[in-house]
Every structure is written in C-alpha cells, then in structure tokens.
Coordinates of all heavy atoms in Angstrom, one line a residue:
Y1 N 5.3 2.5 4.3 CA 4.3 3.3 3.6 C 4.9 3.7 2.2 O 4.3 3.4 1.2 CB 4.0 4.5 4.4 CG 2.8 5.3 3.9 CD1 1.6 5.2 4.5 CD2 2.9 6.2 2.8 CE1 0.5 6.0 4.1 CE2 1.8 6.9 2.3 CZ 0.6 6.8 3.0 OH -0.5 7.5 2.5
S2 N 6.0 4.3 2.2 CA 6.6 4.8 0.9 C 7.0 3.6 0.0 O 6.8 3.6 -1.2 CB 7.7 5.8 1.1 OG 8.8 5.2 1.8
A3 N 7.6 2.6 0.6 CA 8.1 1.4 -0.2 C 6.9 0.7 -0.8 O 6.9 0.4 -2.0 CB 8.8 0.5 0.8
K4 N 5.8 0.5 0.0 CA 4.7 -0.3 -0.6 C 3.9 0.6 -1.6 O 3.4 0.1 -2.6 CB 3.7 -0.7 0.6 CG 4.4 -1.7 1.5 CD 4.5 -3.1 0.9 CE 5.0 -4.1 1.9 NZ 5.2 -5.4 1.2
L5 N 3.7 1.9 -1.2 CA 2.9 2.7 -2.1 C 3.6 2.9 -3.5 O 2.9 2.9 -4.5 CB 2.6 4.1 -1.5 CG 1.7 5.0 -2.2 CD1 0.3 4.3 -2.5 CD2 1.5 6.3 -1.5
G6 N 4.9 3.0 -3.5 CA 5.6 3.1 -4.7 C 5.5 1.9 -5.6 O 5.3 2.0 -6.8
T7 N 5.5 0.7 -4.9 CA 5.3 -0.6 -5.6 C 3.9 -0.6 -6.3 O 3.8 -1.1 -7.4 CB 5.6 -1.7 -4.7 OG1 6.9 -1.7 -4.2 CG2 5.4 -3.1 -5.4
V8 N 2.9 -0.2 -5.5 CA 1.6 -0.3 -6.0 C 1.3 0.7 -7.2 O 0.8 0.3 -8.2 CB 0.6 0.0 -4.9 CG1 -0.9 0.2 -5.4 CG2 0.6 -1.0 -3.8
V9 N 1.8 2.0 -7.0 CA 1.5 3.0 -8.1 C 2.4 2.6 -9.3 O 1.9 2.9 -10.5 CB 1.9 4.4 -7.5 CG1 1.8 5.4 -8.7 CG2 0.9 4.7 -6.4
R10 N 3.5 2.0 -9.2 CA 4.3 1.6 -10.3 C 3.7 0.3 -11.0 O 4.2 -0.1 -12.0 CB 5.8 1.3 -9.9 CG 6.5 2.6 -9.5 CD 8.0 2.2 -9.3 NE 8.8 3.3 -8.8 CZ 9.4 4.2 -9.6 NH1 9.2 4.2 -10.9 NH2 10.1 5.2 -9.1
R11 N 2.8 -0.4 -10.3 CA 2.2 -1.6 -10.7 C 3.2 -2.7 -10.8 O 3.1 -3.6 -11.7 CB 1.4 -1.4 -12.1 CG 0.4 -0.3 -12.0 CD -0.5 -0.2 -13.2 NE 0.2 0.0 -14.4 CZ -0.3 0.3 -15.6 NH1 -1.6 0.3 -15.7 NH2 0.4 0.5 -16.7
W12 N 4.1 -2.7 -9.9 CA 5.1 -3.8 -9.9 C 4.7 -4.9 -9.1 O 3.8 -4.8 -8.2 CB 6.4 -3.2 -9.3 CG 7.2 -2.3 -10.1 CD1 6.9 -1.9 -11.4 CD2 8.4 -1.6 -9.8 NE1 7.9 -1.0 -11.9 CE2 8.8 -0.8 -10.9 CE3 9.2 -1.6 -8.7 CZ2 10.0 0.0 -11.0 CZ3 10.4 -0.8 -8.7 CH2 10.7 0.0 -9.8
S13 N 5.3 -6.1 -9.3 CA 5.0 -7.3 -8.5 C 3.6 -7.7 -8.4 O 3.1 -8.2 -7.4 CB 5.6 -7.1 -7.0 OG 7.0 -6.7 -7.1
G14 N 2.8 -7.4 -9.4 CA 1.4 -7.8 -9.5 C 0.5 -6.9 -8.6 O -0.7 -7.2 -8.4
E15 N 1.0 -5.8 -8.0 CA 0.2 -5.0 -7.2 C -0.7 -4.1 -8.0 O -0.5 -3.7 -9.1 CB 1.1 -4.1 -6.3 CG 2.0 -4.8 -5.3 CD 1.3 -5.3 -4.1 OE1 0.0 -5.2 -4.1 OE2 1.9 -5.8 -3.2
K16 N -1.9 -3.9 -7.4 CA -2.9 -3.1 -8.0 C -3.4 -2.0 -7.0 O -3.5 -2.3 -5.8 CB -4.1 -3.9 -8.5 CG -3.7 -5.0 -9.5 CD -4.9 -5.9 -9.8 CE -4.6 -7.0 -10.8 NZ -5.7 -7.9 -11.1
M17 N -3.9 -0.9 -7.6 CA -4.4 0.1 -6.7 C -5.7 -0.3 -6.0 O -6.1 0.2 -4.9 CB -4.6 1.4 -7.4 CG -3.2 2.0 -7.8 SD -3.3 3.8 -8.3 CE -3.5 4.6 -6.7
A18 N -6.4 -1.3 -6.6 CA -7.6 -1.8 -6.0 C -7.3 -2.4 -4.6 O -8.1 -2.5 -3.7 CB -8.2 -2.9 -6.9
Y19 N -6.0 -2.9 -4.4 CA -5.6 -3.5 -3.1 C -5.5 -2.5 -2.0 O -5.3 -2.8 -0.9 CB -4.3 -4.2 -3.3 CG -4.3 -5.4 -4.3 CD1 -3.1 -5.8 -4.9 CD2 -5.5 -6.0 -4.7 CE1 -3.1 -6.9 -5.8 CE2 -5.5 -7.0 -5.7 CZ -4.3 -7.4 -6.2 OH -4.3 -8.5 -7.1
L20 N -5.6 -1.2 -2.4 CA -5.4 -0.1 -1.4 C -6.7 0.1 -0.5 O -6.7 1.0 0.4 CB -5.0 1.2 -2.0 CG -3.7 1.2 -2.8 CD1 -3.5 2.5 -3.5 CD2 -2.5 1.0 -1.8
R21 N -7.7 -0.7 -0.8 CA -8.9 -0.5 -0.1 C -8.7 -0.6 1.5 O -9.4 0.2 2.2 CB -9.9 -1.6 -0.5 CG -11.3 -1.5 0.2 CD -12.3 -2.5 -0.4 NE -13.6 -2.2 0.1 CZ -14.7 -2.2 -0.7 NH1 -14.6 -2.6 -2.0 NH2 -15.9 -1.9 -0.2
N22 N -7.9 -1.5 1.9 CA -7.6 -1.6 3.4 C -6.2 -1.0 3.7 O -5.6 -1.4 4.7 CB -7.7 -3.0 3.8 CG -6.6 -3.9 3.3 OD1 -6.1 -3.6 2.2 ND2 -6.3 -5.0 3.9
W23 N -5.8 0.0 3.0 CA -4.5 0.7 3.2 C -4.4 1.2 4.7 O -5.3 1.6 5.3 CB -4.4 1.9 2.3 CG -3.1 2.6 2.3 CD1 -2.9 3.9 2.7 CD2 -1.8 2.1 1.8 NE1 -1.6 4.2 2.5 CE2 -0.9 3.2 2.0 CE3 -1.4 0.9 1.3 CZ2 0.4 3.1 1.7 CZ3 0.0 0.8 1.0 CH2 0.8 1.9 1.1
G24 N -3.2 1.0 5.2 CA -2.9 1.4 6.5 C -2.6 0.2 7.4 O -1.8 -0.6 7.1
E25 N -3.3 0.2 8.5 CA -3.1 -1.0 9.4 C -3.4 -2.3 8.8 O -2.7 -3.3 9.1 CB -4.0 -0.8 10.7 CG -3.6 0.3 11.6 CD -4.4 1.6 11.3 OE1 -5.0 1.7 10.2 OE2 -4.4 2.5 12.2
G26 N -4.2 -2.3 7.7 CA -4.5 -3.5 7.0 C -3.4 -4.1 6.2 O -3.4 -5.2 5.7
W27 N -2.4 -3.2 6.0 CA -1.1 -3.6 5.3 C 0.0 -3.9 6.3 O 1.2 -3.8 6.0 CB -0.7 -2.5 4.3 CG -1.5 -2.5 3.1 CD1 -2.9 -2.4 2.9 CD2 -1.0 -2.7 1.7 NE1 -3.2 -2.5 1.6 CE2 -2.1 -2.7 0.9 CE3 0.3 -2.9 1.2 CZ2 -2.0 -2.8 -0.5 CZ3 0.4 -3.0 -0.2 CH2 -0.7 -3.0 -1.0
A28 N -0.4 -4.1 7.6 CA 0.6 -4.4 8.7 C 1.4 -3.2 9.0 O 2.6 -3.3 9.4 CB 1.5 -5.6 8.3
F29 N 0.9 -2.0 8.8 CA 1.5 -0.7 9.2 C 1.2 -0.5 10.7 O 0.2 -1.1 11.2 CB 1.0 0.5 8.4 CG 1.3 0.4 7.0 CD1 0.7 1.3 6.1 CD2 2.2 -0.5 6.4 CE1 1.0 1.3 4.7 CE2 2.4 -0.6 5.0 CZ 1.9 0.4 4.2
M30 N 2.0 0.4 11.3 CA 1.7 0.8 12.7 C 0.4 1.5 12.8 O -0.2 2.0 11.8 CB 2.8 1.6 13.3 CG 3.0 2.9 12.6 SD 4.5 3.9 13.1 CE 5.8 2.9 12.4
S31 N -0.1 1.7 14.0 CA -1.4 2.4 14.2 C -1.3 3.8 13.6 O -0.2 4.5 13.7 CB -1.7 2.5 15.7 OG -2.8 3.3 15.9
S32 N -2.4 4.3 13.0 CA -2.3 5.6 12.3 C -1.9 6.7 13.2 O -1.2 7.7 12.8 CB -3.7 5.9 11.7 OG -3.8 7.1 11.1
D33 N -2.3 6.7 14.5 CA -2.0 7.8 15.4 C -0.5 7.8 15.8 O -0.1 8.8 16.5 CB -2.9 7.8 16.6 CG -2.9 6.5 17.4 OD1 -2.2 5.6 16.9 OD2 -3.4 6.5 18.5
L34 N 0.2 6.8 15.4 CA 1.6 6.8 15.7 C 2.5 7.1 14.5 O 3.7 7.3 14.7 CB 2.0 5.4 16.3 CG 1.4 4.9 17.6 CD1 1.6 3.5 17.8 CD2 2.0 5.8 18.7

C-alpha cells in the first residue's frame, strides 16, 4: 500500500492517480478486511 501509493503520488514510473480507480484488491492487495 505505502510503496505503491508513494510511487503514484510522486508520479514516478509512469503512474497516474487516475489508475487509483480500482485501488485496493484491484492492485493485488490482500482483502480489505485483513
């Protein structure tokens, strides 16, 4: 979570905040309740 969000907010590696639309499990994170 922190590693990916930092990359997005810094706009590194071609990341954009528009890509956060499916943030969470859609980014291969664990289930939200865990």
Side-chain angles (χ1 to χ4, degrees):
Y1 190 103
S2 59
K4 295 290 188 182
L5 187 57
T7 300
V8 172
V9 175
R10 290 185 186 277
R11 303 190 300 190
W12 286 359
S13 304
E15 296 285 6
K16 300 176 181 179
M17 294 196 74
Y19 301 160
L20 297 174
R21 183 176 193 137
N22 67 336
W23 184 246
E25 291 93 343
W27 283 59
F29 297 170
M30 66 186 72
S31 175
S32 177
D33 58 350
L34 294 169

